[in-house]
Amino acid sequence: MFKGFGGPKKKSVLKDNELTTGIVQHPVTGLWQTWISFTGHDIQCVTAHNQRDDAGRVAKQMASAWSEGKYKTGEEVTAFIQSLPTDAVIDPLPQNIVMQLSQQALGAKK
């Protein structure tokens, strides 16, 4: 039996220091949001853009910076993410979209 919020922690399907990223259009705002996941289960939106191409460029920038191993500490990762361009405040995604993104991230590893 679980106490408090949430259920059991899901096991990461990504390896240590591995990241998956992408873009999604917010269903209410219409903005294109970039997202990252370090486990395949946790989807975090990090930027919001008026143009899909802008979101795509930022997602590629995140992926290449990560694959090059530029950022080693949590502080470096946080500073990098905070330095990324964004056009607007990030709005939370509906749970069903988060679940779809998680399934896509997990499917990419199979």
Side-chain angles (χ1 to χ4, degrees):
M1 178 179 251
F2 300 103
K3 294 185 178 187
F5 294 101
K9 295 251 184 211
K10 293 182 180 179
K11 185 177 178 186
S12 174
V13 295
L14 300 177
K15 297 175 184 164
D16 285 344
N17 296 319
E18 196 171 32
L19 156 113
T20 188
T21 185
I23 64 171
V24 64
Q25 189 173 30
H26 194 281
V28 176
T29 67
L31 295 173
W32 291 92
Q33 297 188 168
T34 60
W35 59 269
I36 58 172
S37 178
F38 293 99
T39 66
H41 299 287
D42 62 323
I43 303 296
Q44 297 294 318
C45 289
V46 293
T47 63
H49 303 272
N50 295 315
Q51 302 297 317
R52 181 183 182 139
D53 289 346
D54 294 341
R57 275 191 290 280
V58 170
K60 287 178 185 173
Q61 182 181 356
M62 287 188 291
S64 68
W66 202 259
S67 68
E68 293 168 10
K70 288 184 175 181
Y71 307 103
K72 306 290 184 202
T73 67
E75 292 82 15
E76 290 174 331
V77 171
T78 299
F80 169 67
I81 289 173
Q82 289 175 343
S83 76
L84 294 170
T86 189
D87 295 331
V89 174
I90 301 157
D91 284 303
L93 293 170
Q95 187 63 31
N96 66 320
I97 293 176
V98 172
M99 296 298 288
Q100 288 173 358
L101 294 174
S102 179
Q103 290 173 348
Q104 287 176 6
L106 294 172
K109 289 303 296 174
K110 292 181 181 179

